Amino acid sequence: MNLRVETHRPREGVAVISLGGEVDVYTSPRVKQEVVDLLSNGTHKLVVDLSGVEYLDSTGLGVLIGGLKRAREREGDLKLVCDNLRIHRIFEITGLTKIFDIHRTEGEALDKL
Amino acid sequence: MSETKPLAEVELRIPSRPEYVGVARLAILGVASRMRFSYDEVEDIRLAVGEACTRSIDRLNGAADGQTIHLRCLIDANRLTIEVRNALTEAPPREAPPDILNPEAELGGVLIRILMDEVHTEDRPEEGVHLMRMVKYVAR
């Protein structure tokens, strides 16, 4: 599976999920599981770092949308980090820049949580 | 479809399973890279083909075992035409839900239509046929 998922907790109640490789119809269930597990365990403020993502499709977008919805239902939030123009363009052409807060660095995203 | 015989044709048949969509993407990357497309256009085509394959798997609605997806690339001097077709070998699947009920499928359709210059779909569920034909023109 060409997907890397690494999670760290910079502070209480906050987790950063760093993704690398390809987030597609095959690998996105693994990302969904990570998001659902964190939210179920009481971590409602999430940063998903897409800096290492080389490919993102609609199933990956669907997982992120679902994560944002679930986080907000729990009075949390989900912010994105993306410094890759190609990946950022996918959010732009689908209109998802209107619903996601997308930051250039992890530090910037954490400051906004 | 091309009205004249294409300069070249590449065909690929993959199992209708998520783990093989990446194989289709790699193949189309190779085909599109041999044409006069920009880097961004090649990436657009790769994403569109991945989405079309995902849609094809979705259309089987869980009945993917033993089924295949047939990709056909028609290479012309000024355009690339890609057909993605479910090639059902067994009984037709249960009726797939409309895309509108599946936000991910809807997003995939939106992406394909934005990324490609022409998109045609042909669904004949009674025959188990779901076909998507996409065209990308080489910029002049």
Side-chain angles (χ1 to χ4, degrees):
Chain A
M1 186 181 285
N2 183 19
L3 172 73
R4 297 181 301 282
V5 182
E6 289 170 14
T7 300
H8 71 274
R9 296 166 186 275
R11 57 179 191 256
E12 185 67 27
V14 177
V16 178
I17 306 169
S18 300
L19 302 179
E22 298 181 338
V23 184
D24 69 356
V25 63
Y26 180 45
T27 61
S28 53
R30 167 79 184 84
V31 180
K32 182 177 181 179
Q33 193 60 54
E34 186 74 8
V35 170
V36 168
D37 285 351
L38 285 163
L39 290 170
S40 303
N41 293 331
T43 306
H44 299 157
K45 292 185 176 180
L46 304 177
V47 171
V48 179
D49 188 344
L50 303 172
S51 301
V53 172
E54 295 147 19
Y55 182 88
L56 177 70
D57 77 357
S58 61
T59 50
L61 292 174
V63 168
L64 295 174
I65 294 166
L68 176 67
K69 185 168 169 280
R70 290 188 187 94
R72 288 187 175 164
E73 282 169 358
R74 292 164 172 79
E75 297 184 350
D77 205 354
L78 184 152
K79 308 239 183 239
L80 299 178
V81 177
C82 179
D83 60 357
N84 177 330
L85 292 178
R86 177 74 210 166
I87 299 297
H88 195 274
R89 179 167 174 259
I90 296 169
F91 287 91
E92 284 173 359
I93 63 179
T94 50
L96 291 173
T97 46
K98 291 175 189 160
I99 71 159
F100 282 108
D101 281 338
I102 305 177
H103 302 275
R104 294 188 64 83
T105 65
E106 182 185 314
E108 194 180 300
L110 285 169
D111 285 346
K112 300 289 182 184
L113 265 180
Chain B
M1 192 187 292
S2 300
E3 290 170 4
T4 55
K5 195 174 186 301
L7 295 175
E9 197 171 323
V10 175
E11 293 192 53
L12 175 70
R13 201 178 288 269
I14 59 167
S16 186
R17 297 206 301 265
E19 61 267 40
Y20 285 93
V21 173
V23 175
R25 290 200 304 264
L26 274 177
I28 201 65
L29 189 66
V31 170
S33 298
R34 297 183 67 85
M35 299 178 68
R36 289 183 293 113
F37 289 118
S38 68
Y39 172 79
D40 279 345
E41 288 168 334
V42 170
E43 287 296 312
D44 287 351
I45 295 166
R46 182 167 75 125
L47 182 53
V49 166
E51 294 293 349
C53 290
T54 299
R55 175 185 179 275
S56 188
I57 293 169
D58 283 347
R59 290 277 162 169
L60 286 172
N61 200 18
D65 281 354
Q67 308 297 346
T68 58
I69 298 171
H70 184 190
L71 273 96
R72 188 164 168 245
C73 308
L74 308 174
I75 301 159
D76 286 296
N78 68 335
R79 68 182 168 192
L80 173 61
T81 305
I82 304 155
E83 292 178 0
V84 178
R85 178 196 296 265
N86 278 350
L88 294 181
T89 54
E90 296 170 5
R94 301 185 303 278
E95 191 170 335
D99 280 359
I100 195 70
L101 298 179
N102 180 349
E104 290 169 20
E106 200 181 357
L107 263 181
V110 168
L111 275 170
I112 291 169
R113 281 171 173 76
I114 292 171
L115 298 172
M116 301 299 279
D117 295 324
E118 291 175 18
V119 181
H120 306 280
T121 57
E122 191 180 318
D123 288 332
R124 300 198 302 275
E126 68 285 353
E127 297 171 43
V129 172
H130 299 290
L131 170 72
M132 178 171 276
R133 184 179 298 118
M134 306 172 283
V135 180
K136 188 81 169 177
Y137 288 91
V138 175
R140 297 183 179 188

